Amino acid sequence: MKTITAITPQKKSPDRCNIFLDGEFFCGMSLIVVMKNRLKAGMKIDASRIEEIQLETEKNEALDKAMTLLSSYEKTEKQVRDYLKEKGYTPLVISYVTDKLGEYGFVSDESYAMRYADAYAKKKGAKLIALELKRKGVSEETAVSATEKLGDQTEFAVAIAEKYVKNKPLDIKTKQKLYRHLLSKGFSYDEVQSATDRMFGYSDDEND
């Protein structure tokens, strides 16, 4: 059993409260729901019971909030989960919402990864795109699968290289900087080498 040590109003949403169990924040809940269930400081209660109350009364509201979030930009499942967690929803409600969104086809890490890779293919190499996807919560397998479908990105690397060397002296120093710049963009060594050679000609000059 836990003890409700405090129920405080939320600053940004006065119609909602923060519930603390044993001195630690546990979840957010509608003031009406708190009153209806007669929750108050000092009450002994199972944490699972509060989770059940939130699921019963606020799952649809949480789903609506997630849908509003997705109406502007596509998100990964992790991004949706993080958003709902910040709003004070329990893991039980968050799982319910993400499951529903998955069923409706509103959240798909596979779809997100493909769109993201296509959108940034001209600006970044597959390695960097995959790294960014993983930071957004996409699994390594899904990230790699999406970037593998981009195929050879040499022409994109060449386009970036052309902009980089514009108005710069075509000397060994610029060549080395270009090489490192393209690597930092996530292009493969072969793509970087090909793009650099296009700018400076094929040679055995040192380029690392």
Side-chain angles (χ1 to χ4, degrees), residues 117-118 120-130 147-160 182 185-188 190-192 194-195 198:
D118 288 340
Y120 288 97
K122 293 182 180 181
K123 300 178 181 179
K124 304 172 184 179
K127 291 181 180 179
L128 181 55
I129 292 173
T147 53
E148 282 181 342
K149 293 177 181 178
L150 293 176
D152 185 82
Q153 291 181 278
T154 298
E155 293 306 315
F156 298 143
V158 169
I160 293 174
L182 293 176
K185 289 289 185 179
F187 293 101
S188 70
D190 287 342
E191 291 163 347
V192 170
S194 295
R198 291 265 202 104

Side-chain angles (χ1 to χ4, degrees), residues 3-8 18-21 23 40-42:
T3 300
I4 298 178
T5 47
I7 299 178
T8 61
N18 291 325
I19 298 177
F20 293 80
L21 297 184
K40 59 184 180 181

Side-chain angles (χ1 to χ4, degrees), residues 11 21 78 114 122 124 148 158 162-163 170:
K11 293 181 180 180
L21 297 184
K78 180 181 183 301
M114 288 295 297
K122 293 182 180 181
K124 304 172 184 179
E148 282 181 342
V158 169
E162 289 174 342
K163 291 182 180 180
L170 297 180

Side-chain angles (χ1 to χ4, degrees), residues 3-10 15-21 23-35 37-43 45 50:
T3 300
I4 298 178
T5 47
I7 299 178
T8 61
Q10 294 183 356
D15 60 333
R16 292 183 63 78
C17 299
N18 291 325
I19 298 177
F20 293 80
L21 297 184
E24 295 183 356
F25 172 77
F26 184 73
C27 71
M29 191 172 289
S30 165
L31 177 59
I32 293 177
V33 173
V34 170
M35 295 173 64
N37 288 273
R38 299 181 180 180
L39 302 179
K40 59 184 180 181
M43 177 185 287
I45 192 170
I50 294 183

Side-chain angles (χ1 to χ4, degrees), residues 10 18 25 28 79-89 94:
Q10 294 183 356
N18 291 325
F25 172 77
Q79 289 173 322
V80 174
R81 284 182 172 275
D82 289 345
Y83 170 78
L84 292 175
K85 184 178 180 180
E86 288 177 2
K87 291 296 182 182
Y89 291 105
I94 293 172

Side-chain angles (χ1 to χ4, degrees), residues 65-84 98 101-102 105-113 115-116 133 136-138:
K65 286 185 178 181
M67 291 289 289
T68 299
L69 174 72
L70 294 169
S71 66
S72 299
Y73 299 100
E74 189 175 6
K75 303 289 184 181
T76 64
E77 181 178 324
K78 180 181 183 301
Q79 289 173 322
V80 174
R81 284 182 172 275
D82 289 345
Y83 170 78
L84 292 175
T98 52
L101 291 174
F106 289 114
V107 171
S108 168
D109 283 359
E110 289 76 12
S111 173
Y112 181 95
R115 292 173 188 267
Y116 190 91
L133 284 170
K136 293 175 182 293
V138 175

